[in-house]
Amino acid sequence: MPLTIVVKIGTSSLTQPETGLLALSTIASVAETLSQLRREGHRVILVSSGAVGVGCARLGLTERPKAIALKQAVAAVGQGRLMRVYDDLFTTLQQPIAQVLLTRSDLVQRSRYLNILNTFKELLELGVIPVVNENDTVAVEELKFGDNDTLSALVASLVKADWLFLLTDVDRLYTADPRSVPDASAIALVDSIEELNKLQVQTGTQGSQWGTGGMVTKISAARIATTAGVRTVITQGKYPRNIENILQGELIGTHFTPQPEPTSARKRWIAYGLVPAGKLYLDAGAIAAISQGGKSLLAAGIKTVEGQFDTQEAVQLCDSSGNEIARGLVNYSSDELQKIRGYHSREISTILGYVGAETVVHRDNLVLT
């Protein structure tokens, strides 16, 4: 049965750690593996990091730039070089590829979100392997995915993939970094989101010298993907052929079991596609109503409003300590909410002078995080 497979490879796997130069043997192995999967009838998407790392090597920079403008310029140099290498290798294997560069703002507008989905569908129908990266050259900081682990999980969610493979520089998830803690325990299987939330793993937030990821971003990506019903695997980038072995049933790497009842595409868009414009701090009753009762959020349950936003923008719904409970699209602007917070719904028209929605965030536009 044909599968939809998303493979993400990080900078640490694509480049040589000492020099930042491309690890050509690894890239060739990725190309061979993905081309073979295509010949078997599977639909394949590659999410590839490496533009900034390759750009640094091309320009002789000894470390990853921190200034946004310089990073964007370096990414522009590196992205072309990276795609040239991919195109040469895949062309040798008679496998067509396409470059797809995305920014967070492409997922914020529902119409653009659906346009991207349609583009992916057409490319996969044509037998093309889309090679996806964040458009570092134009992405502004507040609209960045931040790392390609998150981007790959959002792409997997978007196309309703069966599998997401996160190829990295370690063979699986450990209770601590095995490179510095020799007796760290390997984790072979994570069965549920609850287990994921409780996972006491000492995860490094930094990636390699040339990359931006780390194990924290991979666990976060697994949370997004499994919520969408996508089976996720963390495995070693040096051995891309392990993907075929895993698909045949071998327990290589760390597997994250997908949720049996995935959240709807619209709710996944609200939860992970949008960038929250503000925060609403809720009382205990409102938190219980939305998290346990599946209810809408009413003005009476809001204690504090933070940020400036308009109606139909995304906001975070938080407890009194600032921990995010849920996200949703608001029916009122921040200015309106400052006036009606804490009041009963029947009092809203008197306070504002016009009839508004009974709910601040309707349950259809609200997703628990």
Side-chain angles (χ1 to χ4, degrees):
M1 182 181 158
L3 301 169
T4 300
I5 300 163
V6 177
V7 177
K8 182 265 173 178
I9 185 160
T11 302
S12 62
S13 301
L14 286 170
T15 55
Q16 300 166 22
E18 310 80 24
T19 61
L21 295 171
L22 285 172
L24 292 172
S25 59
T26 300
I27 300 173
S29 184
V30 168
E32 287 173 351
T33 300
L34 301 193
S35 297
Q36 178 59 33
L37 290 172
R38 268 293 312 126
R39 282 193 293 275
E40 290 167 8
H42 303 305
R43 296 174 291 272
V44 181
I45 296 173
L46 174 62
V47 178
S48 174
S49 303
V52 176
V54 172
C56 286
R58 189 77 160 167
L59 296 170
L61 302 179
T62 54
E63 60 179 29
R64 189 182 179 89
K66 293 180 175 58
I68 294 291
L70 178 57
K71 194 187 294 182
Q72 290 177 323
V74 169
V77 172
Q79 184 63 32
R81 176 72 185 138
L82 187 61
M83 283 307 297
R84 168 70 190 274
V85 171
Y86 276 129
D87 196 49
D88 285 348
L89 289 167
F90 278 106
T91 299
T92 303
L93 298 162
Q94 299 184 320
Q95 172 57 53
I97 63 170
Q99 176 176 253
V100 179
L101 296 176
L102 299 176
T103 65
R104 193 75 185 239
S105 56
D106 294 321
L107 300 185
V108 169
Q109 268 187 308
R110 185 74 177 155
S111 59
R112 282 166 77 179
Y113 180 90
L114 294 172
N115 265 348
I116 294 163
L117 174 58
N118 291 333
T119 300
F120 275 125
K121 279 182 176 174
E122 289 296 332
L123 287 169
L124 295 174
E125 247 347 273
L126 291 165
V128 174
I129 295 179
V131 180
V132 185
N133 197 359
E134 178 157 19
N135 195 347
D136 284 312
T137 305
V138 299
V140 292
E141 198 60 33
E142 61 270 24
L143 281 175
K144 283 178 72 68
F145 294 102
D147 59 86
N148 274 352
D149 295 319
T150 301
L151 173 57
S152 67
L154 289 170
V155 168
S157 166
L158 178 72
V159 300
K160 296 183 180 171
D162 300 289
W163 290 81
L164 168 62
F165 291 93
L166 301 172
L167 305 186
T168 185
D169 53 355
V170 291
D171 60 341
R172 60 181 59 189
L173 183 63
Y174 287 82
T175 51
D177 188 336
R179 291 167 295 194
S180 53
V181 183
D183 60 349
S185 305
I187 299 169
L189 182 65
V190 180
D191 257 329
S192 66
I193 291 290
E194 290 72 29
E195 203 179 322
L196 207 50
N197 292 337
K198 290 173 190 167
L199 208 53
Q200 295 299 307
V201 180
Q202 297 170 33
T203 48
T205 55
Q206 290 301 310
S208 67
Q209 178 190 359
W210 303 104
T212 57
M215 207 49 82
V216 165
T217 62
K218 286 166 185 59
I219 292 174
S220 175
R223 184 178 289 111
I224 294 170
T226 54
T227 302
V230 183
R231 188 171 188 87
T232 303
V233 182
I234 294 174
T235 188
Q236 199 154 19
K238 277 184 190 173
Y239 310 110
R241 287 189 176 85
N242 278 343
I243 292 171
E244 293 187 77
N245 299 332
I246 292 166
L247 290 172
Q248 286 161 15
E250 284 190 44
L251 279 174
I252 300 167
T254 300
H255 291 235
F256 298 83
T257 306
Q259 272 192 207
E261 293 179 22
T263 51
S264 71
R266 178 177 168 77
K267 290 205 172 186
R268 293 199 303 273
W269 170 67
I270 292 169
Y272 305 115
L274 300 181
V275 179
K279 289 183 179 180
L280 304 181
Y281 292 85
L282 313 183
D283 63 26
I287 290 169
I290 65 174
S291 60
Q292 294 160 30
K295 301 285 176 63
S296 301
L297 174 64
L298 305 177
I302 301 171
K303 289 161 53 176
T304 311
V305 178
E306 188 179 288
Q308 287 290 318
F309 49 85
D310 292 322
T311 58
Q312 294 307 303
E313 286 202 90
V315 296
Q316 293 172 290
L317 309 182
C318 304
D319 63 17
S320 56
S321 304
N323 300 311
E324 184 184 63
I325 307 299
R327 288 188 187 186
L329 302 178
V330 284
N331 291 325
Y332 291 96
S333 69
S334 50
D335 292 339
E336 291 169 322
L337 286 179
Q338 292 289 8
K339 296 172 186 171
I340 64 174
R341 64 183 174 83
Y343 287 96
H344 195 280
S345 297
R346 63 173 171 265
E347 300 173 273
I348 291 175
S349 57
T350 306
I351 296 166
L352 295 179
Y354 48 85
V355 178
E358 189 176 310
T359 62
V360 172
V361 179
H362 192 274
R363 67 184 177 207
D364 292 346
N365 292 326
L366 186 154
V367 56
L368 299 176
T369 54

